[in-house]
Amino acid sequence: MKEYFSNKMSLRRLILITIVVFITSETVSAVDVKKAVGDQVSFRPDNSLPLSVTSIIWKHINTAGITVKAIEWDEGETLIPNQRFQGITTVDNMTGQITITNLKVEHSGVYTIDINSKEQKQRFTLTVMERVPKPVIEPEKIKDNPNVVNLTCKYSETIIWKNSSGQILPGLALHPKGEFITAEKTRNPVNFYTCTLKNAVSEETSAPVYERDLFKESNRGCAVAAVIPSIIMVIIIHLL
Ligand SMILES: *[C@@H]1O[C@H](CO)[C@@H](O)[C@H](O)[C@H]1NC(C)=O
Ligand SMILES: *[C@@H]1O[C@H](CO)[C@@H](O)[C@H](O)[C@H]1NC(C)=O
Ligand SMILES: *[C@@H]1O[C@H](CO)[C@@H](O)[C@H](O)[C@H]1NC(C)=O
């Protein structure tokens, strides 16, 4: 019984601590956002604005550490002194929220806000990245072994290889960049392989490379043998 109560107490304490930790981590949360080129982003201060807001200044500290004013709102007038933010940046005078559309890599960095000339504690970190390209698998024949082909994906992003059953296949590093896998001839014409590129903001998968297209040589004879009779048939039908 005693144990039950002490357990109940410690549970209650745990819940309390959890709530306190949750609330404090909420108020000091540093915002860290990753976006793709062309996306838009909005940052809004956590704390509510003072009753009478006379000025809002959003500053941008770029990755080289240089600070510029991104947008300034001063008693009804909005200024965008830096060309990097012109035509794509707005600020909401009620919430303090900044919105930047059509992002470029150069918009990466840290954003801070001054309200009524007082810098707020909160920091907003933005990383703008290019989307990964759609990868193309390049098959590379191996001289002495007609039954295997190396498939290469020569990109620097994270690479995920899969086969037609959706199984992830371990790739080996290629120099200077990328990975390869070795595809073996299994005589199953529906087998295929794909290569997926991934980064923090995007993912693209290659067109599938079918095993039947990798090991064509030995089948060419059969294919020709199948095509010729049908051509002859067409000619015969036309003659009739
Ligand atoms: C604040 O913004 C709203 C529109 O978002 C505008 O109508 C209003 O005039 C602005 N207030 C001032 C003081 O500029
Ligand atoms: C191709 O695959 C073979 C067999 O796995 C491997 O030994 C070789 O290094 C690969 N070659 C290239 C150029 O990736
Ligand atoms: C896909 O790869 C897994 C693991 O290597 C293998 O067991 C499975 O048979 C493969 N499937 C095809 C269709 O190649």
Side-chain angles (χ1 to χ4, degrees):
M1 206 57 178
K2 223 174 203 172
E3 204 177 46
Y4 170 76
F5 274 115
S6 76
N7 274 348
K8 206 172 173 187
M9 279 298 284
S10 54
L11 180 66
R12 201 172 282 171
R13 194 168 298 163
L14 186 68
I15 290 172
L16 193 68
I17 290 170
T18 311
I19 290 171
V20 169
V21 167
F22 184 73
I23 289 171
T24 47
S25 69
E26 191 74 350
T27 50
V28 299
S29 70
V31 176
D32 194 341
V33 173
K34 291 187 171 65
K35 293 281 181 179
V37 168
D39 282 357
Q40 74 167 55
V41 73
S42 292
F43 294 129
R44 173 203 286 231
D46 270 352
N47 301 323
S48 56
L49 267 50
L51 270 179
S52 134
V53 175
T54 52
S55 77
I56 299 171
I57 300 171
W58 276 98
K59 288 180 192 158
H60 175 224
I61 308 158
N62 75 3
T63 46
I66 297 163
T67 306
V68 298
K69 282 182 187 172
I71 193 164
E72 183 172 1
W73 179 85
D74 203 335
E75 301 208 48
E77 207 182 336
T78 304
L79 293 170
I80 301 178
N82 193 284
Q83 215 246 311
R84 195 186 305 154
F85 294 95
Q86 277 165 16
I88 56 170
T89 313
T90 54
V91 66
D92 183 323
N93 63 35
M94 308 298 274
T95 62
Q97 174 169 290
I98 186 176
T99 299
I100 310 167
T101 61
N102 199 14
L103 287 169
K104 298 202 180 99
V105 173
E106 65 180 13
H107 295 114
S108 298
V110 175
Y111 291 78
T112 65
I113 181 172
D114 291 10
I115 297 168
N116 297 350
S117 306
K118 189 165 176 281
E119 186 169 303
Q120 309 296 299
K121 285 205 183 73
Q122 220 182 347
R123 293 286 175 276
F124 303 85
T125 304
L126 173 66
T127 308
V128 184
M129 305 172 81
E130 301 279 357
R131 282 174 208 281
V132 296
K134 189 179 172 76
V136 175
I137 294 177
E138 295 172 41
E140 285 174 9
K141 294 225 158 68
I142 298 161
K143 252 191 205 151
D144 308 319
N145 194 344
N147 293 324
V148 296
V149 172
N150 282 352
L151 300 180
T152 68
C153 222
K154 296 173 181 169
Y155 302 88
S156 23
E157 291 85 357
T158 301
I159 293 171
I160 302 152
W161 290 98
K162 280 188 186 167
N163 68 13
S164 31
S165 13
Q167 302 253 21
I168 293 177
L169 308 171
L172 292 170
L174 260 183
H175 292 284
K177 60 180 181 184
E179 284 187 3
F180 75 95
I181 58 169
T182 305
E184 277 177 46
K185 187 170 174 176
T186 62
R187 296 185 188 282
N188 186 342
V190 298
N191 281 0
F192 64 79
Y193 299 90
T194 61
C195 155
T196 299
L197 296 188
K198 205 174 171 177
N199 69 8
V201 298
S202 61
E203 185 175 319
E204 287 282 351
T205 297
S206 69
V209 166
Y210 282 88
E211 192 187 307
R212 60 170 180 261
D213 297 325
L214 293 173
F215 304 102
K216 261 183 198 153
E217 251 61 37
S218 46
N219 289 337
R220 189 172 284 163
C222 306
V224 170
V227 167
I228 289 174
S230 55
I231 291 174
I232 292 172
M233 279 294 280
V234 169
I235 293 170
I236 291 172
I237 288 166
H238 271 263
L239 287 178
L240 295 173

